[in-house]
Amino acid sequence: MKSYNKSQELYSKGLTHMVGSVNSPVRAFKSVGGNPLFIKNAKGSKIYDVDGNEYIDLVLSYGPMILGHGNDKVIEAVTKQVYQGFSFGASTENEIILSELICSVFNGMDKIRFVNSGTEATMSAIRLARAFTGKNKIIKFSGCYHGHGDSLLVAAGSGMVTYSLPGSAGVPENAVKDTLIAEYNNIESVKTHLSKHDDIAAVFIEPVAGNMGVVIPSDTFIKELRKITHEAGVLLVVDEVMTGFRSKFGGAQDILGIQADITCLGKVIGGGFPVGAYGARSEIMNLVSPLGNMYQAGTLSGNPVAMAAGIATLTELCEQNPYQKFNTQAEQLEKIMLDSARENNIEITVNRFGSMINPFFSKKTVTNFSDAQECDTSQFTSFFWSLLENGIYIPPSQFEAWFLSTTISDDDMNILENGIRKAMKSIRK
Ligand SMILES: *Cc1c(COP(=O)(O)O)cnc(C)c1O
């Protein structure tokens, strides 16, 4: 048995001045009935807790660390920038370089604005969609998470579903009265809203959902969604905070054959530093201040260190082009999970897209939020703890995607296979 004593000690100590001893609720182990690990360091595919336990990291900071931890090129770029200065409150050439890198691979994205988090990106995208259309309402899909902004914090995934919260305390009714909820993969649910309301500014969607576990849109659903929003003069805001640069060098929207009106980014484009962004065609972006009258600002936006990390990460990703390898490894993991589940009489279904994957403890195919919620979360809990014991760190929730990094080696794949097989056996019925 691994010892988690030091994590336990720090957790208790942290409770005094930190809410639940975490700075983001998804990090708490509440839903799997335990206390969170405290991490000391990480390198490549591995992460180490304060007790010295080693794990293959499939959390990857919930997405950003696609190159694994401590990539040499990123360290070099960040270090160089640190010596040149941390923050200036003025433009730098690196902001131009990162904007070029990103705009060149998203069709229809002429301009981009950098912010500090995915939440800021989606909050700004709402304001921009409203400014552009002169309309108020937005449609979002149940189970999709778009950060913790008031008006998007309804029927949201990630921590909201992990802790079964219908909405958040402190969000005024007025803030959500213009938010309409549709069902993922159900185009009729969108059409109904569109036919009933003429005041809709935008539809927000995760192009591949990752915050209720991985849920893939059907080809007809996503294409139809693009078509009907276009016809209705409603902007399609594609939230690629998680999916951006994960499944190809660019966005999931490209793989799915759609083009967003506004794209939100975050996570990977900051390589582990706080970055978010929203981008669109000039006609839309020119409404943003200082060119237009939609106000949005940030003291640390486009932070030089974060930009350096982002450029180095994307440059390295482009060179390594790991996307075929991601597919192969995810396919192997899927097979290992399905085989070992079957051998132990456990019913699971596995969803994956590029380097995003996770099993659902359910025999049903999972295509929307209510399917996801039918999972046997107690089985997930046992599976989680057994994986941890076997040196595999996954998110402490049934409703989060696992991620692959470019540093996963054949040896790591063997560790993953052994750990998964043992974990499935340990929860055998
Ligand atoms: C993580 C995430 C966000 C929020 O990003 P933060 O940086 O945590 O604010 C928004 N949308 C999606 C799809 C995400 O996965």
Side-chain angles (χ1 to χ4, degrees):
M1 284 284 285
K2 284 192 160 71
S3 158
Y4 304 109
N5 290 340
K6 282 191 181 151
S7 277
Q8 188 67 44
E9 260 170 49
L10 287 179
Y11 169 73
S12 304
K13 200 172 165 192
L15 286 173
T16 315
H17 295 301
M18 280 163 57
V19 183
S21 215
V22 292
N23 276 306
S24 184
V26 297
R27 297 176 197 168
F29 277 28
K30 224 168 124 186
S31 75
V32 290
N35 298 326
L37 298 182
F38 273 67
I39 301 302
K40 180 139 191 214
N41 61 304
K43 188 73 187 171
S45 59
K46 308 260 175 56
I47 191 162
Y48 302 85
D49 67 18
V50 286
D51 288 284
N53 298 311
E54 175 183 287
Y55 311 92
I56 308 259
D57 185 11
L58 301 182
V59 179
L60 295 169
S61 189
Y62 291 86
M65 308 311 302
I66 194 166
L67 297 176
H69 297 280
N71 176 276
D72 290 341
K73 297 266 174 56
V74 181
I75 290 178
E76 197 184 309
V78 165
T79 309
K80 186 169 159 232
Q81 182 57 51
V82 163
Y83 281 100
Q84 288 177 2
F86 308 160
S87 186
F88 311 123
S91 292
T92 58
E93 189 175 3
N94 274 351
E95 291 162 79
I96 300 177
I97 296 172
L98 191 56
S99 68
E100 281 172 351
L101 263 172
I102 296 172
C103 288
S104 69
V105 288
F106 280 86
N107 288 327
M109 191 192 287
D110 299 322
K111 292 182 185 176
I112 191 168
R113 167 63 62 85
F114 291 112
V115 292
N116 300 290
S117 67
T119 296
E120 265 188 76
T122 56
M123 280 165 50
S124 308
I126 295 179
R127 190 176 301 155
L128 183 55
R130 286 175 172 159
F132 183 75
T133 58
K135 296 174 186 170
N136 267 323
K137 290 192 165 55
I138 51 171
I139 298 177
K140 80 172 284 289
F141 294 92
S142 54
C144 282
Y145 178 69
H146 304 288
H148 67 87
D150 277 357
S151 49
L152 289 167
L153 210 51
V154 266
S158 194
M160 296 290 282
V161 40
T162 303
Y163 298 129
S164 304
L165 303 173
S168 168
V171 173
E173 249 171 64
N174 264 338
V176 292
K177 79 171 195 323
D178 287 325
T179 307
L180 306 166
I181 307 297
E183 188 179 57
Y184 208 84
N185 274 318
N186 178 349
I187 199 68
E188 290 307 320
S189 69
V190 183
K191 284 185 178 164
T192 305
H193 287 314
L194 290 177
S195 66
K196 271 201 202 141
H197 305 272
D198 55 10
D199 188 27
I200 299 174
V203 176
F204 275 67
I205 191 167
E206 289 182 66
V208 173
N211 286 293
M212 49 177 148
V214 179
V215 176
I216 293 148
S218 78
D219 188 50
T220 49
F221 167 73
I222 199 79
K223 294 214 166 105
E224 191 64 11
L225 179 67
R226 177 60 283 190
K227 187 164 159 267
I228 63 175
T229 46
H230 182 73
E231 285 166 0
V234 168
L235 297 188
L236 183 61
V237 180
V238 179
D239 180 353
E240 299 239 28
V241 170
M242 183 184 288
T243 52
F245 297 92
R246 274 243 143 246
S247 305
K248 74 164 294 212
F249 193 77
Q253 53 189 275
D254 205 20
I255 301 178
L256 300 171
I258 57 162
Q259 188 176 313
D261 292 302
I262 302 177
T263 297
C264 297
L265 290 162
K267 296 188 173 129
V268 168
I269 65 159
F273 286 78
V275 181
Y278 59 102
R281 56 185 184 270
S282 296
E283 179 195 12
I284 298 176
M285 288 306 284
N286 289 349
L287 293 179
V288 179
S289 185
L291 292 185
N293 57 8
M294 187 214 99
Y295 195 72
Q296 183 275 311
T299 301
L300 293 177
S301 292
N303 174 265
V305 183
M307 293 294 106
I311 294 165
T313 297
L314 294 191
T315 306
E316 186 68 4
L317 257 184
C318 189
E319 265 166 36
Q320 286 191 22
N321 191 11
Y323 299 102
Q324 187 49 49
K325 181 179 147 196
F326 282 155
N327 275 333
T328 310
Q329 287 181 333
E331 192 180 351
Q332 283 168 355
L333 285 180
E334 174 181 20
K335 185 170 184 312
I336 292 163
M337 286 196 272
L338 290 176
D339 286 352
S340 57
R342 189 169 354 92
E343 284 160 20
N344 293 290
N345 278 322
I346 298 159
E347 285 168 332
I348 64 164
T349 179
V350 177
N351 284 356
R352 66 183 171 87
F353 191 85
S355 55
M356 295 160 57
I357 182 169
N358 73 277
F360 291 95
F361 286 88
S362 167
K363 64 179 168 204
K364 235 177 120 172
T365 318
V366 178
T367 59
N368 61 35
F369 190 37
S370 50
D371 293 342
Q373 283 180 306
E374 279 178 44
C375 290
D376 184 338
T377 50
S378 66
Q379 271 191 340
F380 174 83
T381 295
S382 312
F383 184 65
F384 169 84
W385 285 107
S386 180
L387 285 183
L388 205 62
E389 195 56 36
N390 286 294
I392 300 169
Y393 184 54
I394 63 164
S397 164
Q398 168 70 86
F399 308 106
E400 300 281 356
W402 308 359
F403 298 111
L404 299 177
S405 72
T406 58
T407 47
I408 303 263
S409 65
D410 290 346
D411 280 351
D412 293 335
M413 286 300 289
N414 287 332
I415 296 173
L416 290 172
E417 168 154 20
N418 288 333
I420 289 167
R421 288 189 182 282
K422 279 190 191 153
M424 286 291 183
K425 207 164 176 182
S426 76
I427 57 173
R428 184 192 195 104
K429 283 195 189 141

